[in-house]
Amino acid sequence: MNEIANIVIIVLIILGAFLSLVAAYGVIRLPDVYTRNHAASKSATLGVMSILLGALLFFYVKDGFFNSRVLLGIIFIFMTSPVAGHLIARAAYNSGVELWDKSVQDDLKDAPHMKKASSKEQS
């Protein structure tokens, strides 16, 4: 049982490190703020959650110590990071940050609330 738990812990921590590395690579290499934000919010969230879950399991298996703060950290990251990523992207779009020139879809271009905002700016 202990060996299986160790393997699960190792897999979670390696997966978390890999996802964090992918997030860092995406932030550096992707072309515009929207795709960088996507890489940072999705991959980093899963990476941090995997590492925290691995740490929670490690201390529970090794010492029998259940740390509720780590569990609350996992829940907090899971709830706040995607929302923050969405709000950052929405703020960038509303402030006029251009999409990448090879982007093929702009879902907010014809949205009714965006037409109102653009008509106010023109008057």
Side-chain angles (χ1 to χ4, degrees):
M1 179 67 185
N2 214 7
E3 292 302 319
I4 294 173
N6 286 339
I7 291 171
V8 169
I9 291 166
I10 290 170
V11 167
L12 281 173
I13 290 177
I14 289 174
L15 179 67
F18 175 73
L19 289 172
S20 297
L21 183 67
V22 168
Y25 185 74
V27 168
I28 292 171
R29 294 291 299 169
L30 290 175
D32 66 349
V33 68
Y34 305 105
T35 53
R36 289 179 186 158
N37 186 25
H38 178 76
S41 63
K42 303 294 187 277
S43 298
T45 301
L46 290 175
V48 169
M49 285 177 50
S50 295
I51 291 172
L52 287 175
L53 189 59
L56 177 75
L57 290 175
F58 175 76
F59 287 112
Y60 184 71
V61 169
K62 181 182 174 205
D63 299 331
F65 178 66
F66 182 78
N67 194 343
S68 60
R69 292 179 187 163
V70 175
L71 185 62
L72 288 175
I74 292 170
I75 293 169
F76 182 76
I77 293 289
F78 183 72
M79 292 176 61
T80 59
S81 183
V83 173
H86 176 77
L87 291 177
I88 289 170
R90 183 61 68 104
Y93 191 87
N94 288 337
S95 63
V97 176
E98 295 289 327
L99 294 172
W100 184 37
D101 57 349
K102 294 182 181 176
S103 293
V104 294
Q105 187 172 356
D106 183 5
D107 288 339
L108 293 177
K109 187 168 79 176
D110 296 328
H113 67 283
M114 297 306 292
K115 289 181 180 177
K116 290 178 185 175
S118 64
S119 65
K120 287 180 184 176
E121 291 174 1
Q122 292 175 354
S123 59

